[in-house]
Amino acid sequence: MKEGPLSSPSTSIDPMPNINYFSEDVAFSLQHEEKISQWLEDIAASHEYQVETINYIFCSDDYLLDINKTYLQHDYYTDIITFDNSSNHHLIESDIFISIDRVTDNAKEMGIPFEEELHRVLVHGLLHLVGFDDKGDDHKILMRQKEDACLSLL
């Protein structure tokens, strides 16, 4: 049997994207998905992590509040919840839920463009996955510095 182009060992088939974007109960579409995905993968790699799969799910305040109550037993609004589904160290698998309502309100409150705040929240979730936390004042300061450094690369 003659090998065809798809059966040749040297032929590669485009892999599934490592970073995916979905919307739940909001009409939202991320601009510049490929650029943002590459930026996030580069940040992960700079921390010696590889992205296996990250699913970013954009949603409303109420949707995220329900997740916060159900899975974390927290009864308050938040802009992001990151679920680390990784089973191997330095290989990222995650579902990250982002409230578009919170991002919009936070951007207005801080007087910055929506996209800037959205990018900060996107990288914030990734930074949690590579080992940073924001519990306590010192950690919050370091997280903000890391976010700023990452934003400067975009």
Side-chain angles (χ1 to χ4, degrees):
M1 182 171 134
K2 185 176 178 181
E3 282 190 71
L6 291 178
S7 61
S8 168
S10 63
T11 301
S12 65
I13 298 172
D14 287 337
M16 295 274 299
N18 295 342
I19 301 179
N20 306 292
Y21 305 95
F22 303 98
S23 292
E24 284 292 335
D25 86 333
V26 293
F28 180 78
S29 179
L30 181 68
Q31 301 297 308
H32 313 291
E33 282 186 18
E34 287 182 25
K35 180 181 177 183
I36 299 295
S37 295
Q38 187 61 59
W39 171 64
L40 293 166
E41 289 195 34
D42 290 346
I43 291 166
S46 74
H47 290 89
E48 299 180 4
Y49 280 77
Q50 179 182 347
V51 175
E52 177 73 21
T53 306
I54 298 177
N55 295 314
Y56 282 98
I57 301 99
F58 303 110
C59 58
S60 69
D61 267 349
D62 290 336
Y63 190 94
L64 197 53
L65 178 61
D66 188 49
I67 290 172
N68 211 7
K69 288 177 181 178
T70 302
Y71 295 98
L72 303 175
Q73 289 72 51
H74 297 157
D75 189 7
Y76 54 82
Y77 291 114
T78 186
D79 52 0
I80 185 170
I81 295 176
T82 302
F83 291 101
D84 186 351
N85 304 322
S86 303
S87 56
N88 296 327
H89 193 60
H90 292 278
L91 190 61
I92 297 171
E93 292 185 61
S94 179
D95 294 312
I96 299 176
F97 292 83
I98 296 175
S99 168
I100 294 302
D101 297 330
R102 277 303 93 226
V103 172
T104 300
D105 289 351
N106 290 344
K108 286 178 186 172
E109 193 174 297
M110 292 185 284
I112 62 173
F114 168 83
E115 288 77 18
E116 181 180 336
E117 180 62 8
L118 179 62
H119 296 157
R120 180 178 301 281
V121 174
L122 287 165
V123 78
H124 181 92
L126 178 64
L127 289 171
H128 277 302
L129 296 167
V130 300
F132 292 92
D133 73 46
D134 52 3
K135 303 268 193 258
D137 292 340
D138 290 343
H139 291 281
K140 285 180 184 178
I141 291 168
L142 179 59
M143 177 67 89
R144 181 55 65 134
Q145 291 170 343
K146 293 300 292 183
E147 291 168 359
D148 289 341
C150 292
L151 287 169
S152 74
L153 301 173
L154 184 58

